[in-house]
Amino acid sequence: MKTARFFTASFMSMALATFAIADAGAAPSSLADGVYTAEQAESGKPMFEQNCSTCHNADFYKTVFQTWRGQPLQYLFEQIMSAMPADKPGALLDNEYEDIMAYVLQITGFPAGDTRLQYYGGVMGDVNVEPAS
Ligand code: HEC
């Protein structure tokens, strides 16, 4: 009897702990979990239109995501920061590249989440590129 009660109690606390973790919003582990905010993508849109869309459209990024699948998002981001816009590489601020990346994720069909996409201290190194839907 005693043992049974112990198991019931520990099962319940485990279940509660799991619930608490899920409720606190665990850090995203994939692009599908939402790695940028909707406000961020909105802010990235005009910058994307001004700096990127003359040369690439959404379909281009789908191909890029296919090619880069399985690699940390950070690697793709660093490639964009150092090489794009092709006519003036590295010309934008880090936060502008972050917002543009958020917008690119939005137009390729990945959902928004609760946390800003950030180069420093964010999840970029922990989530991998995956093909867009
Ligand atoms: C003046 C034209 C031009 C502009 C503007 C431009 N790009 Fe590019 N981009 C290119 C060319 C050319 C390539 C390399 C050839 C290719 O992959 O089509 C490229 C490649 C890329 C790639 C693929 C990188 C790789 O190695 O797989 C990404 C992602 C990209 N650009 C994103 C952007 C973003 C984001 C912006 C805006 C900040 C931007 N580009 C602005 C011309 C441009």
Side-chain angles (χ1 to χ4, degrees):
M1 273 315 266
K2 226 173 172 188
T3 316
R5 210 176 301 140
F6 171 76
F7 276 124
T8 310
S10 48
F11 174 75
M12 290 225 353
S13 56
M14 262 163 54
L16 281 172
T18 310
F19 180 74
I21 291 165
D23 198 39
S29 58
S30 85
L31 292 184
D33 294 336
V35 298
Y36 67 91
T37 64
E39 298 77 50
Q40 189 178 12
E42 198 177 312
S43 143
K45 184 174 191 237
M47 294 185 237
F48 175 88
E49 282 164 357
Q50 196 183 333
N51 296 292
C52 317
S53 59
T54 46
C55 297
H56 322 288
N57 60 16
D59 284 347
F60 170 81
Y61 294 98
K62 290 190 174 176
T63 313
V64 171
F65 279 43
Q66 187 71 37
T67 312
W68 282 74
R69 72 184 180 281
Q71 306 235 46
L73 181 62
Q74 187 180 329
Y75 292 5
L76 174 59
F77 183 76
E78 285 170 348
Q79 174 66 26
I80 292 172
M81 276 205 302
S82 60
M84 293 295 129
D87 49 353
K88 42 182 164 78
L92 309 178
L93 300 171
D94 284 6
N95 71 296
E96 295 176 321
Y97 282 111
E98 287 164 359
D99 291 2
I100 287 172
M101 190 77 236
Y103 183 65
V104 166
L105 289 167
Q106 186 179 62
I107 60 175
T108 45
F110 293 102
D114 301 330
T115 311
R116 254 188 73 84
L117 184 67
Q118 288 184 175
Y119 185 39
Y120 295 103
V123 296
M124 253 189 222
D126 305 326
V127 296
N128 290 338
V129 175
E130 53 188 283
S133 45

